Structures are given as C-alpha cells and as structure tokens.
Amino acid sequence: MKITLVTVGKIKERFFEDAIAEYSKRLGRYCKLEIIQVADEKTPDGASENVERQIREKEGQRILAQIKDGAYVLALAIEGKMLSSEELAGKIQKLVFVIGGSLGLSKEVMDRADYALSFSKMTFPHQLMRVILLEQIYRGFKIIAGEPYHK
C-alpha cells in the first residue's frame, strides 16, 4: 500500500524533520510513504486578496501536477469535515493527502479533492500539520491492524 503526501514548502526546523523521520520510519512497517514537497510562493506583507489568490493558484498548479489520475485525494482544509482516528483509518488506503501552504489551498485543488478533512477550526503551521497528519496515519494503521496504541 502506498500513501502520498503532497505538501507546500520545505521543513525548516530540525525538530519537525526529526518527528517526520520518526513517523516515516514507523509507517514503513505498514505502507510505502512518499512525501512530495512543492515550492511555496513568498507572500508579501499586506498582500491583497487578489495576490493571495494568485499565490494559492500557483501553489495549486504545482500540487495538481503531482497527483496521478485516479488517485483518491484527501485535502486538509479548515472547512473540511472532522473525523475520529477510527474514521480516518477507514479512509487510509490508496490516498494522496494534500497540505497547502500558509494561505491554504487553491479552488482548483479543492475541486480535485475527493474529500476535505479538517483537524480543527484552529490554524496550524503547515510544517507542524505534516507531523500531526503522519501521527494520525500511523495511528490509523495501528487501528486497522488491531494493534494497541495509546489514547
């Protein structure tokens, strides 16, 4: 089984890199994990809504270029539906997870998504969201396998 994460921007902090590496290692037992990072756009201070939309569209084009035809795409978005860990475990197979940049995802990416998932109404840094998502994917595989995992 293969899980793909398409993400915007590079990880800058070592502690996030370490956490991502740890969950990637743990997931190796359950699936082939591919993390694809696309370039982010610099957002000028005080950018207008039009400039922000253009940035989301550029990042969205890069994201969409990485999604294979027929893939089931789960986009992380504040306006998405919240799931329990058990419900996420039921959706985990053959997924492409998409995490946008600091401005979120373009309309085109959201239109391509088969499912919009929200972890919270709160905003999280997209680098931290990678760690949270990988932990939940790992938890999902533990649930699927019937293995214990702390609550």
Side-chain angles (χ1 to χ4, degrees):
M1 175 181 319
K2 182 178 178 182
I3 301 287
T4 303
L5 269 65
V6 180
T7 63
V8 175
K10 293 183 180 181
I11 297 296
K12 296 175 178 105
E13 288 83 5
R14 176 77 180 157
F15 55 89
F16 286 138
E17 288 177 352
D18 291 344
I20 290 166
E22 176 62 26
Y23 282 109
S24 296
K25 182 178 84 175
R26 291 182 187 190
L27 282 165
R29 178 173 170 221
Y30 301 100
C31 67
K32 180 178 187 285
L33 177 67
E34 178 183 28
I35 299 176
I36 300 169
Q37 297 181 127
V38 299
D40 58 347
E41 291 289 316
K42 299 290 183 214
T43 304
D45 291 336
S48 68
E49 179 56 37
N50 189 44
V51 169
E52 288 185 359
R53 181 186 48 76
Q54 290 172 354
I55 289 170
R56 281 191 298 273
E57 287 175 1
K58 286 180 185 176
E59 291 175 347
Q61 290 169 358
R62 292 180 190 132
I63 290 167
L64 292 172
Q66 299 301 320
I67 298 173
K68 293 179 174 62
D69 290 342
Y72 187 86
V73 178
L74 195 147
L76 274 61
I78 288 175
E79 64 273 10
K81 181 181 177 194
M82 290 189 217
L83 297 175
S84 68
S85 294
E86 291 79 11
E87 289 169 323
L88 179 62
K91 293 187 174 298
I92 251 171
Q93 300 176 2
K94 297 182 184 173
L95 286 179
V96 173
F97 290 90
V98 176
I99 301 174
S102 61
L103 298 177
L105 295 167
S106 70
K107 179 184 180 319
E108 293 79 11
V109 172
M110 292 306 296
D111 288 347
R112 171 59 180 89
D114 296 289
Y115 194 89
L117 174 66
S118 174
F119 276 78
S120 173
K121 293 292 182 191
M122 294 182 278
T123 302
F124 296 102
H126 58 279
Q127 295 182 51
L128 176 59
M129 199 62 238
R130 288 189 212 182
V131 176
I132 294 169
L133 176 59
L134 287 172
E135 189 281 332
Q136 283 298 303
I137 293 170
Y138 176 67
R139 183 182 297 265
F141 276 112
K142 297 287 275 186
I143 291 167
I144 290 167
E147 298 171 2
Y149 194 80
H150 64 81
K151 295 184 180 193

